[in-house]
Amino acid sequence: MIGSAGVRARSRNGARQPFVVDYADPVLKLAGVRLLDDRDLPAVRELLAADPIGNCFVAARIEAAGLTPWRLGAEVWGYGGAGLESACYSGVNLVPIGTATPAMLAFAEQARRQGRRCSSIVGLVEGVRPLWETLRPYWGRPREVRSRQPLLATTMVPPVPADPAVRRVRLDELDILLPACVAMFTEEVGVSPIGADGGRAYRQRVCDLVRAGRAFARIEAGEVVYKAEVGAVCERACQIQGVWVNPRWRSQGLGTAGTAAVVRDALRNVAPMVSLYVNDFNLPARAIYRRCGFTEVGTYSTVLF
């Protein structure tokens, strides 16, 4: 999933490996595909602005770090002649930007020649589908394919009451929050985010969200009851991730009230539009988001390795 930036691709022995950018990669010489840099920022911003909700994850990272690979921690590939028609974020996640099939086929060929460096392909289904259909014979069987994940958004204050006990997590509460984050990630993705580094990278990611004031929780007697994070923030939108209710507290309406509190805060203090995406089979979560005023604006798809 997009918000899980701590996951790394696995080597053949199963260990997670850090993402490494090869700046002199000859694969980038494929016809129509080029490595973008900060000189391309205006064109990339225009491309991202065409769908600020669908492109929120990539837009947030580029707004924060630009396009220089060493600073971004990823490459961004561009496709097109004089103008930029499509792009693809290639890092821990492979994320298509745009829906033009010829561009997606070119990006897939580039990714095939490089070899898999990502832990997932994720994004709007119109881009993910041709990428994965081309890469499937070469990248082997994925751990899971989630072909339909409704992309939801709202600009309205939720019509349901917000939980007043949901608040920003303090830095001194990091050790209380972290086990809940690990539990949510493992439940959602199917693997633990604790890697060969003993969880240091994942802990740092959660710590960064707490420091930024983007981690929310209801904490009772030193235990997380509800939690969620605003995982990506760009100029026009933000994206909620990691919504989780402690199993001992489920079926009590805390998911709806907690999410309403996070959405209210995000609309007031973070961005004018709040989004998230959800597995189509997760009916309880979809009901929560519907009650909080979210409507479907697109469809994501995720291939997990």
Side-chain angles (χ1 to χ4, degrees):
M1 55 189 296
I2 277 184
S4 308
V7 173
R8 298 294 186 263
R10 293 176 182 268
S11 66
R12 292 185 179 179
N13 65 8
R16 288 182 176 88
Q17 301 295 319
F19 175 75
V20 177
V21 176
D22 182 357
Y23 305 111
D25 196 328
V27 176
L28 289 168
K29 296 180 180 179
L30 283 171
V33 178
R34 60 190 178 89
L35 178 63
L36 303 181
D37 58 33
D38 284 345
R39 293 170 294 183
D40 299 294
L41 276 171
V44 172
R45 288 187 180 121
E46 182 177 353
L47 187 65
L48 293 169
D51 187 351
I53 302 173
N55 297 327
C56 182
F57 168 80
V58 176
R61 277 146 181 78
I62 291 175
E63 287 178 13
L67 289 168
T68 302
W70 68 262
R71 191 168 56 238
L72 182 63
E75 295 176 344
V76 179
W77 307 331
Y79 179 90
L84 188 65
E85 298 176 20
S86 298
C88 187
Y89 178 97
S90 176
V92 174
N93 310 109
L94 190 65
V95 187
I97 305 161
T99 59
T101 298
M104 298 304 119
L105 297 179
F107 295 144
E109 177 61 15
Q110 180 168 317
R112 181 189 72 81
R113 295 193 185 188
Q114 283 186 338
R116 184 170 67 81
R117 302 178 177 183
C118 62
S119 62
S120 70
I121 306 172
V122 58
L124 291 167
V125 65
E126 295 88 350
V128 170
R129 183 186 294 120
L131 270 178
W132 176 233
E133 287 177 352
T134 305
L135 289 168
R136 179 170 20 192
Y138 308 100
W139 279 11
R141 180 176 296 179
R143 191 160 46 80
E144 187 177 357
V145 177
R146 298 176 178 179
S147 57
R148 186 177 188 280
Q149 298 171 297
L151 176 63
L152 312 175
T154 183
T155 59
M156 306 296 292
V157 172
V160 294
D163 185 346
V166 171
R167 55 173 175 79
R168 286 181 173 83
V169 178
R170 302 189 308 267
L171 192 58
D172 65 336
E173 296 172 313
L174 177 61
D175 287 335
I176 296 174
L177 176 65
L178 192 60
C181 292
V182 172
M184 180 285 306
F185 189 102
T186 305
E187 182 178 335
E188 169 65 20
V189 181
V191 296
S192 171
I194 304 303
D197 66 352
R200 287 191 298 273
Y202 187 71
R203 179 186 177 88
Q204 186 59 54
R205 168 61 176 162
V206 175
C207 182
D208 290 344
L209 289 169
V210 172
R211 287 184 185 277
R214 287 159 46 188
F216 297 82
R218 175 174 175 170
I219 299 173
E220 300 285 352
E223 182 180 38
V224 173
V225 173
Y226 167 93
K227 73 149 203 85
E229 298 87 43
V230 179
V233 177
C234 61
E235 182 179 358
R236 296 174 59 185
C238 65
Q239 189 174 87
I240 293 175
Q241 67 177 40
V243 177
W244 182 83
V245 178
N246 189 314
R248 298 195 301 106
W249 294 76
R250 291 177 184 174
S251 302
Q252 299 183 38
L254 294 174
T256 298
T259 301
V262 176
V263 172
R264 284 172 177 265
D265 189 287
L267 287 172
R268 184 170 59 248
N269 299 309
V270 182
M273 189 178 305
V274 179
S275 70
L276 53 82
Y277 63 101
V278 60
N279 294 317
D280 61 347
F281 54 79
N282 192 342
L283 300 182
R286 294 181 67 179
I288 286 172
Y289 303 142
R290 185 167 54 251
R291 288 193 288 270
C292 287
F294 284 92
T295 58
E296 188 169 341
V297 296
T299 304
Y300 261 35
S301 184
T302 302
V303 182
L304 295 165
F305 300 101

